[in-house]
Amino acid sequence: MKVVIAEKPSVGRELAKVFGATTRKDGYIEGKGYTFTWAFGHLLQLAPPQEYGFYGWRKENLPMLPQKFKLSIRKIKTKDGLVEDPAVKKQLDTIKRLFDECDEIIVATDAGREGELIFRYIYYYLKCKKPFRRLWISSQTDEAIKDGFRNLKPGTEYDTLFNSAHARSQSDWLVGMNATQALSISAGNKAVLSLGRVQTPTLAMICARYLEIKNFVPKIYYQVAIQLSKGEQFFKAISTKNFDTKEEAEAVLAKVLDVESGNPTGGHIKNVEGKAKKEPPPLLHDLSSLQQEANKKKGYTADQTLGILQNLYESKLVTYPRTGSRYIGDDIFATVPDLIAKYKSHNFFGKSAEFLLENKLNKRSVNAKKVTDHHAVLPTGIDPGYLPEDKQAIYDMVVGRMLEAFHQDCIKETTKISIESGSDFVANGTVIKTAGWRSVFNDPDDEKKDASENATLPKVDKGENLPVTKKAVVEKQTKPKPQYTEATLLKALETCGKEIEDEELRYAMKDSGLGTPATRASIIETLITREYITREKKNLIPSSKGLAIYDVVKEKKIAQAELTGQWEKRLEEIRGGASVLDFKNEIIDYTRNITQELLVAGAGLEKMLVTG
DNA sequence: GCAAGGTC
């Protein structure tokens, strides 16, 4: 018997279905000489400090550098504290029995670093010696699965991938556990002051933005605004220059040839420029883009959206949610017309669905090379029936985005009218000519609109002279960037690697950013639980505690996104066969340094924690 | 009491 182990039940069941295995047992499915079982993500984790004899939070224990890391069963919080998750324990027992009985294991965890780690932790924890081969697929269609099984790889081909995964895991433990204890102890051991490779740079981003806004000095400037009329229609134009003082603006205002100062047609049209602009549809949703949209439109937190989406996934209404890809492969694309057809008589999306069925689909979101462990989020086409409001809202965002993504470009026409009336003025306007994908929701254009922008402009010709019906000086001021919301923070976590100056580090982070799609919501929640940040309406604002910690760590590597870049670069080298030992030694060195530094630097925090 | 990673 061969046992196939997947990362999660949904994949295990899908594989079983393709093989025609149908005998459902508790925790696995049998049939056709195969047994299909699964994990629930990471069942095992690096054991906590006390399992190496580091009891309590004591300076004498630091830095904690286990000779050999141990694995322990994932814990859950109950009223009696942390206990081994009984569901995990049970599944692990099932896997152990199946591994004992089989003559070969086929590893079908997700095709990536963490997927490899999920399997290897189980394999080594169970002290299993059975041979294993690797299924490596990035699409869950029948064809891709069959093809993958015909091309199983030797398990050892992924040893270096496991090495890099293991190094990532241990490094996070070493730096995170030690830095957290060091800071907490030196601040008087009154509260958990957690630090980590991901959470601390995230906190730093929020604090830096907050301080930038707090210290922002707005600069006042002036513009002159005029209103012109063309027949019955009025439109607004703004001086092409900004003025530093009110006096300069008033001097320009005085020169305007408006009707009131005796000029019936004092607005001379110097030029009219029209341009058509194509706006391609947005890509399909990945988890992060969906969390951003849900935060913007409905105010849901990243964590809420993930929870709702997981729920929809468990009800089989949407595909796998924790994806970082906004693309699908050609195989999935082939199923899209049938999927769209399911919404033909939908009372809101029906029209869009019908349009798409009669027109060529836009393939912007179709690119197999950009599908990583999972493809973009799509509805499954199963009729959801009645859904509560929050689930309905998220479900509609998934369906609506699918319709948008395969829709046509939106065609806009921008018009720029240059006017002279004593001095130079300009009027801008944008008109949607063909709505294309924007017809799905018919939302107002979300692009930034300046106050000088006119929704529609009357048809005017070069050389015309029009009456200037109003004029005024407008006082304006420069604005700081806005505080982070969950939406803008998620975006920043995804893209922060792209702002790194060092080219190699930037490259190393090019498809990762800070954290992963599956973990970013929980990173935000951690910062809130620690009382480092609070939600104020949609904004994420640092607390005095958060700012005090930022002040202690802001110059240190643990607060920089670059640290992840450096690790990613080395981990990729390890995957390519480079020494694990060199990296581990560097991490141990760094752990020693940061621990020492924090044991000193945290002392100043004690007072803040007492006074609040 | 602690990381970051995965999932129910």
Side-chain angles (χ1 to χ4, degrees):
Chain A
M1 183 267 283
K2 294 182 199 297
V3 58
V4 179
I5 181 165
E7 181 153 329
K8 44 192 165 266
S10 63
V11 175
R13 291 194 193 103
E14 190 59 33
L15 299 176
K17 202 184 82 192
V18 172
F19 272 74
T22 51
T23 314
R24 289 184 171 236
K25 303 274 182 153
D26 194 2
Y28 61 100
I29 300 170
E30 279 178 343
K32 315 270 177 179
Y34 285 85
T35 300
F36 297 86
T37 189
W38 46 76
F40 310 125
H42 277 298
L43 301 181
L44 298 158
Q45 54 194 182
L46 296 179
Q50 60 268 27
E51 295 198 26
Y52 311 95
F54 304 122
Y55 298 109
W57 290 37
R58 291 143 36 109
K59 200 175 166 181
E60 300 81 65
N61 286 340
L62 302 186
M64 303 174 287
L65 303 168
Q67 282 293 314
K68 196 170 183 343
F69 276 95
K70 298 178 185 176
L71 293 170
S72 66
I73 294 178
R74 188 214 293 167
K75 312 284 191 297
I76 46 166
K77 277 196 176 122
T78 66
K79 52 184 189 314
D80 309 318
L82 288 179
V83 295
E84 285 181 357
D85 185 332
V88 167
K89 182 81 179 63
K90 187 177 167 204
Q91 190 64 9
L92 211 48
D93 287 341
T94 302
I95 294 169
K96 178 169 174 47
R97 184 166 60 79
L98 296 173
F99 279 8
D100 284 344
E101 289 168 7
C102 77
D103 37 58
E104 189 189 18
I105 298 164
I106 293 164
V107 184
T109 47
D110 290 356
R113 195 164 75 195
E114 292 303 320
E116 191 63 29
L117 193 62
I118 285 170
F119 166 69
R120 299 276 183 137
Y121 273 178
I122 294 170
Y123 187 80
Y124 298 127
Y125 181 80
L126 297 177
K127 300 191 166 60
C128 184
K129 303 281 181 242
K130 296 287 168 73
F132 60 90
R133 282 187 293 165
R134 188 71 162 97
L135 175 75
W136 195 266
I137 53 173
S138 61
S139 161
Q140 252 54 258
T141 60
D142 294 10
E143 229 7 80
I145 291 168
K146 285 179 191 157
D147 205 51
F149 270 94
R150 282 192 289 266
N151 291 294
L152 292 173
K153 310 283 184 203
T156 51
E157 258 183 38
Y158 296 89
D159 286 353
T160 58
L161 181 64
F162 163 64
N163 292 340
S164 80
H166 200 26
R168 196 280 306 147
S169 178
Q170 293 174 338
S171 303
D172 276 326
W173 192 104
L174 287 169
V175 172
M177 295 290 189
N178 282 293
T180 298
Q181 286 203 15
L183 188 67
S184 305
I185 290 168
S186 70
N189 239 334
K190 292 183 176 59
V192 175
L193 301 180
S194 67
L195 298 173
R197 171 180 58 86
V198 177
Q199 64 172 267
T200 305
T202 306
L203 174 66
M205 286 162 65
I206 296 169
C207 290
R209 175 64 64 86
Y210 172 83
L211 294 173
E212 185 186 333
I213 294 165
K214 199 176 152 211
N215 298 327
F216 184 82
V217 183
K219 200 170 162 262
I220 291 178
Y221 64 96
Y222 300 88
Q223 291 179 326
V224 177
I226 59 173
Q227 188 192 54
L228 300 99
S229 73
K230 163 90 191 214
E232 301 286 285
Q233 250 184 305
F234 295 94
F235 65 100
K236 195 163 99 179
I238 293 285
S239 52
T240 52
K241 277 190 201 142
N242 294 336
F243 307 99
D244 290 340
T245 66
K246 203 169 179 177
E247 289 70 32
E248 290 171 79
E250 277 169 348
V252 169
L253 182 78
K255 291 194 295 180
V256 173
L257 307 170
D258 60 324
V259 178
E260 206 169 299
S261 48
N263 299 282
T265 55
H268 176 68
I269 306 298
K270 282 168 58 180
N271 198 20
V272 181
E273 222 179 307
K275 250 189 243 161
K277 220 173 90 185
K278 275 190 200 169
E279 193 186 11
L283 293 169
L284 289 166
H285 273 311
D286 63 7
L287 174 60
S288 182
S289 66
L290 189 59
Q291 284 170 319
Q292 290 168 47
E293 185 180 335
N295 185 248
K296 273 185 212 146
K297 284 191 177 168
K298 304 290 288 185
Y300 297 164
T301 68
D303 202 43
Q304 284 169 329
T305 300
L306 175 56
I308 294 165
L309 204 59
Q310 170 70 17
N311 217 300
L312 291 169
Y313 165 67
E314 284 168 17
S315 321
K316 305 200 186 312
L317 298 177
V318 302
T319 59
Y320 180 76
R322 288 175 219 84
T323 174
S325 173
R326 303 187 63 177
Y327 295 87
I328 57 172
D330 298 285
D331 47 1
I332 303 284
F333 182 64
T335 70
V336 165
D338 284 345
L339 196 52
I340 291 174
K342 308 247 189 215
Y343 299 91
K344 246 183 354 193
S345 45
H346 189 281
N347 57 19
F348 186 80
F349 293 125
K351 264 189 149 172
S352 304
E354 267 191 47
F355 177 88
L356 289 182
L357 291 170
E358 287 158 16
N359 288 277
K360 197 166 173 258
L361 298 182
N362 195 316
K363 290 188 79 174
R364 183 159 186 252
S365 287
V366 184
N367 187 341
K369 287 193 193 109
K370 292 191 176 175
V371 174
T372 45
D373 293 4
H374 306 278
H375 61 68
V377 184
L378 286 175
T380 56
I382 291 174
D383 180 8
Y386 169 81
L387 291 174
E389 192 199 329
D390 53 352
K391 284 197 208 174
Q392 186 72 55
I394 297 292
Y395 181 76
D396 285 347
M397 284 180 207
V398 174
V399 175
R401 176 52 58 89
M402 169 181 75
L403 298 172
E404 288 179 328
F406 297 112
H407 218 293
Q408 299 176 342
D409 291 349
C410 169
I411 314 281
K412 289 176 175 175
E413 193 173 84
T414 61
T415 309
K416 184 177 163 187
I417 305 176
S418 305
I419 301 138
E420 191 180 344
S421 184
S423 61
D424 289 333
F425 294 83
V426 64
N428 287 307
T430 302
V431 185
I432 291 179
K433 286 293 185 189
T434 313
W437 64 270
R438 284 191 178 277
S439 66
V440 174
F441 282 107
N442 243 325
D443 275 347
D445 197 338
D446 46 2
E447 262 181 42
K448 265 178 258 154
K449 279 229 171 94
D450 176 301
S452 66
E453 187 102 325
N454 294 273
T456 55
L457 284 170
K459 177 112 189 61
V460 299
D461 295 312
K462 187 174 168 175
E464 268 189 274
N465 291 303
L466 300 176
V468 178
T469 48
K470 278 186 195 167
K471 61 174 182 177
V473 169
V474 193
E475 185 181 302
K476 295 232 170 144
Q477 52 175 282
T478 54
K479 288 202 192 93
K481 290 177 187 157
Q483 305 282 8
Y484 277 119
T485 63
E486 296 209 25
T488 56
L489 182 66
L490 287 169
K491 183 87 197 148
L493 291 175
E494 274 183 278
T495 58
C496 62
K498 298 185 173 58
E499 281 150 35
I500 289 175
E501 284 184 22
D502 185 297
E503 193 184 332
E504 282 190 354
L505 302 189
R506 194 169 62 234
Y507 180 79
M509 276 183 87
K510 74 176 168 32
D511 351 85
S512 58
L514 213 43
T516 70
T519 59
R520 285 181 191 129
S522 71
I523 294 289
I524 298 174
E525 297 303 317
T526 297
L527 295 176
I528 290 171
T529 308
R530 301 270 177 269
E531 298 176 321
Y532 290 174
I533 62 171
T534 56
R535 290 193 178 95
E536 281 181 18
K537 294 191 182 148
K538 281 190 187 179
N539 292 335
L540 298 173
I541 307 291
S543 64
S544 52
K545 192 196 259 186
L547 288 165
I549 285 162
Y550 171 65
D551 202 50
V552 169
V553 300
K554 64 185 174 194
E555 301 299 333
K556 302 186 192 300
K557 221 156 66 171
I558 197 170
Q560 323 288 332
E562 278 87 344
L563 181 63
T564 291
Q566 288 167 5
W567 287 21
E568 286 300 336
K569 177 169 175 276
R570 299 301 306 275
L571 292 170
E572 185 51 28
E573 287 165 3
I574 290 170
R575 197 196 60 77
S579 158
V580 183
L581 205 61
D582 288 351
F583 181 66
K584 270 198 82 175
N585 284 333
E586 285 168 37
I587 295 294
I588 287 170
D589 273 350
Y590 177 61
T591 301
R592 286 203 170 96
N593 291 338
I594 187 77
T595 304
Q596 269 316 309
E597 282 177 33
L598 290 168
L599 279 171
V600 177
L605 290 172
E606 192 162 0
K607 223 175 81 199
M608 180 274 307
L609 291 171
V610 175
T611 58

